[in-house]
């Protein structure tokens, strides 16, 4: 059964634009279950499932030069370095979209953070929650563990 979700964001004109995204209701319930069973972090298996379903934004909190080397192959993905999180979450939706190329999540939207080993994503989690993004989790294994388990499911630089 397909269900439509509506996301609203301001256009340059200041008007609201409504964008409908359709997905399978079973996947939505599954991801709700994943977030309900994890208060702070998601497991490797759940992280893989989240990436495959492409319903929840993955935010990489590493520095851009690290991301340029290798990153998880997630379609709904943004790189927001740890030191930029507070500023990014204060941006309006248009500025956020222009800078990070994804829609700014609402405060109650599910979000998963990732870094190299889990340390920075844990710090990022605290920053998101301090800004009232309470439905945020982090993948504690980071790209290191992801690479060990899924070496073909990453995007690497051409060099």
């Amino acid at each position: 059964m397909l269900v439509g979700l509506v996301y609203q964001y301001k256009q340059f004109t200041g008007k609201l634009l409504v964008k409908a995204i359709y997905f399978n209701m079973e996947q939505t319930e599954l991801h709700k279950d994943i977030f309900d069973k994890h208060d702070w972090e998601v497991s490797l298996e759940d992280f893989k499932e989240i990436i495959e379903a492409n319903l929840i934004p993955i935010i990489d909190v590493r520095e851009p030069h690290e991301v340029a080397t290798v990153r998880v192959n997630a379609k709904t993905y943004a790189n927001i370095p740890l030191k930029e999180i507070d500023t990014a979450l204060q941006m309006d939706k248009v500025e956020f979209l222009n800078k990070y190329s994804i829609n700014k999540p609402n405060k109650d939207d599910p979000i998963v953070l990732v870094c190299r080993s889990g340390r920075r994503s844990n710090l990022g989690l605290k920053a998101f929650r301090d800004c009232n993004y309470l439905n945020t989790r982090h993948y504690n294994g980071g790209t290191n563990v992801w690479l060990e388990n899924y070496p073909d499911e990453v995007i690497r630089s051409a060099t």
Side-chain angles (χ1 to χ4, degrees):
M1 176 169 136
L2 292 179
V3 175
L5 282 184
V6 177
Y7 292 96
Q8 296 181 343
Y9 58 93
K10 291 182 181 177
Q11 286 286 31
F12 295 104
T13 62
K15 296 179 182 177
L16 291 178
L17 176 71
V18 178
K19 177 182 178 184
I21 299 177
Y22 294 91
F23 55 90
N24 188 306
M25 183 59 136
E26 292 173 8
Q27 291 176 331
T28 304
E29 290 303 316
L30 184 60
H31 289 87
K32 182 180 181 317
D33 290 345
I34 289 171
F35 270 55
D36 285 348
K37 72 180 178 182
H38 301 287
D39 189 38
W40 293 95
E41 61 187 46
V42 296
S43 67
L44 174 65
E45 295 78 19
D46 289 341
F47 188 59
K48 180 171 180 26
E49 199 170 308
I50 289 166
I51 288 173
E52 288 173 348
N54 191 32
L55 296 175
I56 297 173
I58 306 299
I59 297 180
D60 195 325
V61 300
R62 296 177 297 154
E63 292 298 313
H65 70 274
E66 295 174 277
V67 171
T69 304
V70 64
R71 73 171 183 86
V72 297
N73 190 7
K75 291 179 182 163
T76 307
Y77 174 91
N79 175 220
I80 304 175
L82 182 62
K83 65 185 177 193
E84 292 181 23
I85 289 175
D86 290 332
T87 303
L89 295 179
Q90 301 306 316
M91 292 176 177
D92 66 31
K93 292 184 180 230
V94 173
E95 186 180 6
F96 188 94
L97 178 63
N98 288 336
K99 180 155 177 93
Y100 300 111
S101 301
I102 66 166
N103 290 328
K104 182 179 180 184
N106 294 314
K107 290 188 176 187
D108 59 345
D109 287 346
I111 303 164
V112 177
L113 307 179
V114 66
C115 67
R116 184 179 56 85
S117 65
R119 186 184 67 77
R120 284 177 284 179
S121 62
N122 193 29
L123 294 171
L125 177 65
K126 182 179 179 342
F128 268 79
R129 290 195 171 189
D130 286 349
C131 291
N132 290 318
Y133 285 79
L134 303 179
N135 207 9
T136 304
R137 306 293 188 273
H138 84 114
Y139 168 55
N140 193 39
T143 54
N144 286 348
V145 173
W146 185 259
L147 276 166
E148 289 172 15
N149 289 276
Y150 304 106
D152 297 330
E153 297 184 34
V154 296
I155 297 173
R156 297 179 189 270
S157 66
T159 58

